[in-house]
Amino acid sequence: MQCCTKTSCGKRLNRIEGQVRGIARMLEEDRYCIDVVTQISAVRAALKRVEEEILKDHVGHCVENAIQSGNKDEQRQKVAELVDVLGRVRG
């Protein structure tokens, strides 16, 4: 993983961690259910952005390197991993 992706995702995850703690506080304070669900939705969206950034980095480096290597087994493995994870992400 590239350094800038690590840094960017790390910052996002720290913010998400704070959001999750905020949701826990909301529950402790018996906040309105819709407000809690709205915050949960925001966390999901933020996690999705992190996921997309990491997948983009994976394709841009790991998959690209496998293609450039010319190693058919490595290429197949990277593509199979990508197809598998995309199936899980969507499902």
Side-chain angles (χ1 to χ4, degrees), residues 57-68 75 78-79 82:
D57 184 79
H58 177 70
V59 170
H61 295 95
C62 299
V63 175
E64 186 177 315
N65 289 342
I67 292 168
Q68 289 176 350
Q75 292 169 359
K78 295 298 179 195
V79 170
L82 190 56

Side-chain angles (χ1 to χ4, degrees), residues 6 10 15-16 18 25 27 34-35 38-39 45-46 48 50 52 56-57 67 76-77 83-87:
K6 269 189 198 180
R15 280 193 298 273
I16 292 166
R25 253 189 326 276
L27 292 174
I34 297 303
D35 293 340
T38 299
Q39 290 305 310
K48 185 165 181 58
V50 171
E52 289 168 353
K56 187 176 176 181
D57 184 79
I67 292 168
R76 286 186 187 99
Q77 177 190 1
V83 168
D84 181 55
V85 78
L86 288 175

Side-chain angles (χ1 to χ4, degrees), residues 9-29 31 36 39-40 42-44 46-47 50:
C9 287
K11 287 178 182 178
R12 285 178 189 250
L13 288 169
N14 286 334
R15 280 193 298 273
I16 292 166
E17 181 181 11
Q19 286 177 290
V20 171
R21 280 195 302 269
I23 293 169
R25 253 189 326 276
M26 290 175 79
L27 292 174
E28 290 170 8
E29 297 168 358
R31 296 279 298 273
V36 175
Q39 290 305 310
I40 291 170
V43 167
R44 279 181 156 148
L47 281 170
V50 171

